[in-house]
Amino acid sequence: MVNGGEDYWVNLTPPVPFDAALGVSMGGFGVLDIASQRSLKAVAAISPALFPTWEDAEQINGFASREVWEAHEPLRHLATIRSPVGVWCGQEDPFHDPARELARAVGAQGSFDHGAHDGGYWRRVLPEALRFIGSRL
C-alpha cells in the first residue's frame, strides 16, 4: 500500500518486489503512476487524487514543476496502463470526475457510489478493493 505522506510521490522505488499495489488519495495517484510504468497483476486506487489540468495540480503545491506533473499524472498516460485496475471514488469526492474518467479509459472495475474523500468512505470500500487484488494474485 502506497502512502503519499505530505507530497505526491513520483519516481517511487518501493523497497521490496511487489506484484500488486493499493493506494488511497495521493497513494491512489502513486499506484496508478506505477501502473503507467510497469505491468502489475492488480492495481487498486481508492479516491485517487488526479488532476486533469496543470492549473488544478498547481493549486495544491504537490509537484516540483509542471514537467514533473506531466511526466507522472496518470490521466496523461492512460495508454500505458495495462494492468487490471480497480477504482473506487465517492460521488461527493472532489476527485470523482477525474477518477471516473480514468476508470472508463482503462476499463477499470470498482464503484462510484455515494461517499466523500474521507476515512469513512475509504473503510467502507477497502474490503472490496482488497478482494479485487486478492482475486488476481
Side-chain angles (χ1 to χ4, degrees):
M1 183 158 177
V2 177
N3 176 0
E6 297 300 317
D7 294 306
Y8 277 69
W9 286 7
V10 294
N11 300 321
L12 177 65
T13 305
V16 296
F18 62 100
D19 293 322
L22 181 148
V24 177
S25 190
M26 283 190 279
F29 172 99
V31 298
L32 292 166
D33 180 33
I34 290 168
S36 75
Q37 299 169 37
R38 64 177 273 203
S39 188
L40 297 170
K41 291 181 180 177
V43 176
I46 299 174
S47 299
L50 304 171
F51 299 97
T53 68
W54 168 242
E55 290 73 24
D56 296 330
E58 189 176 29
Q59 290 180 21
I60 61 138
N61 292 322
F63 301 92
S65 66
R66 182 180 186 144
E67 292 74 24
V68 170
W69 169 78
E70 288 175 349
H72 295 279
E73 172 58 54
L75 290 169
R76 299 178 63 84
H77 303 282
L78 297 169
T80 61
I81 299 175
R82 294 183 189 33
S83 304
V85 174
V87 178
W88 293 262
C89 194
Q91 292 175 4
E92 292 75 33
D93 190 309
F95 296 109
H96 175 269
D97 292 348
R100 194 166 193 112
E101 176 187 338
L102 180 133
R104 275 194 296 265
V106 301
Q109 294 184 18
S111 68
F112 293 89
D113 57 357
H114 287 287
H117 196 85
D118 62 25
Y121 177 78
W122 301 334
R123 282 189 297 278
R124 185 164 37 104
V125 300
L126 183 60
E128 187 179 341
L130 291 171
R131 281 192 298 276
F132 172 82
I133 289 175
S135 71
R136 285 154 182 80
L137 292 178

